[in-house]
Amino acid sequence: MMHGILALLLAGLSLAPPAAASSTSAVSLAPLAAADGFATGTTGGVAGPTVTVDTTDELLDAIDTVGHLVIQVSGTIAITSKQGVRPNKTIVGLGTNATITGGGFDFYRSSNVIVRNLTFVGAEDDAVNVGQQSHHIWIDHNTFVDPVDGSIDIVRGADYVTVSWNHFAGTDKSMLIGHSDGAASTDAGHLKVSIHHNWFDGSRQRHPRVRFGEPVHVYNNWFDGNELYGVASTMNGGVVLEGNAFTAVPHPCFSTSGYADSGPGRLVQRANVFTASGPCEAGGAVAEPRAYYSYTLDAASSVPMLVQSGAGAGRI
């Protein structure tokens, strides 16, 4: 039986196949906003042609194409496992109900990719896996529902990633940064990630769980009823947590005491609001995100309203 939140989301999605398929689209989306945070400079497939896909084969062929390509996803497409995405791609949903079911996307030494305006439902592993030295990846305005493993993993030396304006709808393992305690040789000095304006909506843990990465910049997110914890910085990871709203989160932050079997990390927290939540464990110094990019911080008190109205697929 589907989880209640999954059934609710699917009730608002049209899962019927589109009326017609086409390999080349005359329909164009409005120009995308520019990637920000650590993914600044990511342009995706904008220098290449645009195609529309509405079948499994069309989607898999498009993401495996060499060169720049904008891939517009129409309707619902079923895939299995994690499917590799080559560099220089924009994968963007058309309208409000573009959906990937059963599987997800894998980045292996890939770069300059945008994933936007998609709903991922029931991925049998991770919905989006950014690994193996992939860099400049922008994951924006997506909705994640009921993956078997993680919604987003950023691991194995990946770098310069921004995760923005996504809706994690009742997920379990929402976001892992650094795949294991033994990965210092590949991960230390990498895993620079910006995480902003996401709605962690009844999701249980890993928002994110960090090993080694620094700085991981977590700002202006709403942590809403997270059962296990909000953010965990471990294995000397460095997290800057600012301008976030925590509502009914018993353990907003782990850091200096470590988490589970992982050793301690570092976490700087400032300008956050905690409502009906426990204390945030913070300590240590962390590299400042402003040394890498500029950003504007919204007031934490305004974050729940902002992300409810703007986060997730169908909101661009």
Side-chain angles (χ1 to χ4, degrees), residues 55-67:
T55 69
T56 302
D57 288 345
E58 288 177 346
L59 175 61
L60 298 186
D61 285 348
I63 63 176
D64 195 38
T65 299
V66 175

Side-chain angles (χ1 to χ4, degrees), residues 27 43 45 49 107 111 140 167 205 215 239 245 248 269 295 301:
V27 179
T43 56
F107 299 90
S111 61
D140 177 72
H167 183 192
Q205 60 182 313
V239 174
Q269 75 97 1
Y295 62 96
S301 59

Side-chain angles (χ1 to χ4, degrees), residues 67-276:
H68 291 79
L69 188 65
V70 175
I71 304 163
Q72 297 182 153
V73 176
S74 178
T76 297
I77 299 178
I79 61 176
T80 59
S81 189
K82 293 181 290 188
Q83 301 293 332
V85 180
R86 290 188 184 270
N88 304 313
K89 301 292 179 290
T90 296
I91 311 170
V92 59
L94 286 175
T96 60
N97 67 345
T99 303
I100 304 295
T101 65
F105 295 139
D106 185 52
F107 299 90
Y108 182 96
R109 296 179 181 170
S110 191
S111 61
N112 191 36
V113 179
I114 296 169
V115 179
R116 205 160 190 247
N117 199 40
L118 294 168
T119 296
F120 293 87
V121 176
E124 62 189 52
D125 194 343
D126 302 321
V128 177
N129 181 71
V130 183
Q132 297 294 352
Q133 295 85 51
S134 294
H135 60 90
H136 289 92
I137 310 293
W138 184 29
I139 304 165
D140 177 72
H141 277 98
N142 303 287
T143 297
F144 296 92
V145 184
D146 207 31
V148 169
D149 195 7
S151 297
I152 300 172
D153 281 7
I154 302 166
V155 297
R156 294 178 172 84
D159 232 340
Y160 300 104
V161 178
T162 295
V163 179
S164 56
W165 293 100
N166 299 284
H167 183 192
F168 296 81
T171 54
D172 180 11
K173 300 171 183 176
S174 294
M175 199 181 322
L176 179 67
I177 300 176
H179 75 284
S180 72
D181 290 355
S185 62
T186 58
D187 288 352
H190 300 287
L191 304 178
K192 296 176 184 66
V193 183
S194 303
I195 301 166
H196 71 84
H197 292 94
N198 299 283
W199 183 7
F200 299 113
D201 179 13
S203 45
R204 296 183 73 238
Q205 60 182 313
R206 299 187 181 181
H207 313 95
R209 190 197 198 288
V210 178
R211 298 177 176 98
F212 305 112
E214 183 183 5
V216 175
H217 188 200
V218 183
Y219 69 99
N220 283 157
N221 303 280
W222 187 19
F223 296 82
D224 180 14
N226 312 124
E227 178 185 349
L228 295 185
Y229 66 90
V231 177
S233 179
T234 68
M235 301 305 295
N236 201 35
V239 174
V240 173
L241 181 77
E242 60 177 336
N244 301 281
F246 291 82
T247 304
V249 181
H251 302 287
C253 322
F254 291 107
S255 61
T256 55
S257 64
Y259 179 75
D261 295 329
S262 299
R266 294 164 289 126
L267 187 146
V268 170
Q269 75 97 1
R270 57 195 179 219
N272 301 288
V273 171
F274 302 92
T275 303

